[in-house]
Amino acid sequence: MEKVILVDPSKPKSRKRSVPNVKQDVERILNGFPKGEEDWADGRPQSPTDVDELFDRVTLNGTPDRATMDCAKLLESFAEEAETQNPLHVATLAAAGVICMKLGQVNKNTVHNTMRKCLGDVKENQLEGMRLGVSRCVLFLDTIHPGFGSRTYELLFRRNKPFLNQAAHLGPDHFQYLRQYLADPDSNKLYKPELQLDSARLRIPNIIFTLFAEKYTREEIEKAFHIKGNPPPVPFYHFFPLDESFEGLRLEVIRELVGVAPSLEGVKFKRYGLSYSCPELCRFVKNQKLFMRWPRPII
């Protein structure tokens, strides 16, 4: 797992480098991803249970009263629980700061001071770089996902070099080169692990949706991380309970949809034993006023 290193994105890495080396920048990030089975076997998750536990930990599932917290208090609670050297926690902290400022009407000083409770005495530019970087991390991994599969979003924390800070420097040319790289089978060297897990729920906007206890719609959250000039966010669907007795099931269904809906839009759920695409399934359930569960994929 990478060590989180905070850098100032406003300062160029070298005085000689005034123009970004797009190819070098993108491939430096890609080269930090796991190279083989041994790398993928190092650390969690290695099972569906691991994914569940990571998701529960990073969404403060043990803090049931978070639904009643305002944004500032929720950010403070997460900052107190987050692990400073855990890249997933640091990225989620930065993402929560984005949501607090864009949707929660929390001012920048309050957000940055709260983030420092977790990260220590960090400069303003470094914190701003983290907030910029998290949106670019989301776009970077979303771009990789169609060809890489269900474990794409683990790449955020399965790196031997910093990712969040490197992503803060990425611009339109970088993402254009990334798409060209991925489309060329001769250049695309990303290693897919043999073990495929449904870890899509570890995508940052999915985590934020659950962490903030549905204070905001999926569309609002996706828009907060969206970078202009790129494809619009994928629509999100979820269910509402018929009465309180369905609350436990509702939460489980929402978690499943948070994990699969953003990445499998329009794709048939054959691996789940269903012939529906996500929108078709959701429309069917809403029309029938039923709740459905489907089996987890067989690994």
Side-chain angles (χ1 to χ4, degrees), residues 11-194:
K11 298 180 180 179
K13 295 181 181 178
S14 171
R15 290 184 179 180
K16 296 180 181 179
R17 183 189 170 197
S18 57
V19 179
N21 185 328
V22 171
K23 180 177 183 293
Q24 180 178 314
D25 289 346
V26 172
E27 293 187 2
R28 182 184 294 118
I29 292 176
L30 295 170
N31 289 336
F33 293 146
K35 297 289 194 300
E37 290 301 316
E38 184 176 349
D39 291 340
W40 277 99
D42 182 23
R44 302 170 74 197
Q46 298 296 331
S47 69
T49 300
D50 284 348
V51 175
D52 289 343
E53 291 177 355
L54 288 173
F55 185 82
D56 288 346
R57 176 74 176 84
V58 80
T59 58
L60 299 185
N61 191 43
T63 309
D65 61 338
R66 72 184 191 281
T68 63
M69 296 180 183
D70 61 25
C71 286
K73 179 60 178 177
L74 185 54
L75 179 66
E76 182 177 5
S77 295
F78 186 82
E80 292 171 353
E81 296 290 332
E83 300 170 7
T84 307
Q85 295 303 319
N86 185 320
L88 180 61
H89 287 203
V90 173
T92 301
L93 179 66
V98 170
I99 295 301
C100 284
M101 289 178 60
K102 289 190 175 183
L103 300 179
Q105 299 180 336
V106 181
N107 65 59
K108 184 171 73 172
N109 287 339
T110 299
V111 168
H112 284 186
N113 288 336
T114 303
M115 292 175 69
R116 289 188 180 99
K117 292 182 179 181
C118 171
L119 302 172
D121 187 18
V122 181
K123 296 179 180 179
E124 286 289 301
N125 285 340
Q126 292 174 316
L127 295 173
E128 289 175 358
M130 291 175 63
R131 290 190 287 104
L132 283 174
V134 73
S135 293
R136 287 157 176 77
C137 282
V138 171
L139 178 58
F140 198 96
L141 297 180
D142 282 351
T143 303
I144 290 175
H145 178 269
F148 192 83
S150 62
R151 300 192 72 177
T152 300
Y153 299 101
E154 294 178 43
L155 295 173
L156 174 66
F157 52 90
R158 286 188 177 277
R159 282 180 47 79
N160 56 18
K161 298 176 183 177
F163 185 13
L164 186 63
N165 306 107
Q166 287 181 324
H169 300 274
L170 300 180
D173 290 344
H174 292 93
F175 290 104
Q176 182 178 352
Y177 176 77
L178 174 62
R179 295 181 184 101
Q180 294 171 349
Y181 175 94
L182 296 172
D184 183 356
D186 294 329
S187 65
N188 188 346
K189 306 298 183 183
L190 288 176
Y191 181 86
K192 288 185 182 182
E194 294 180 5

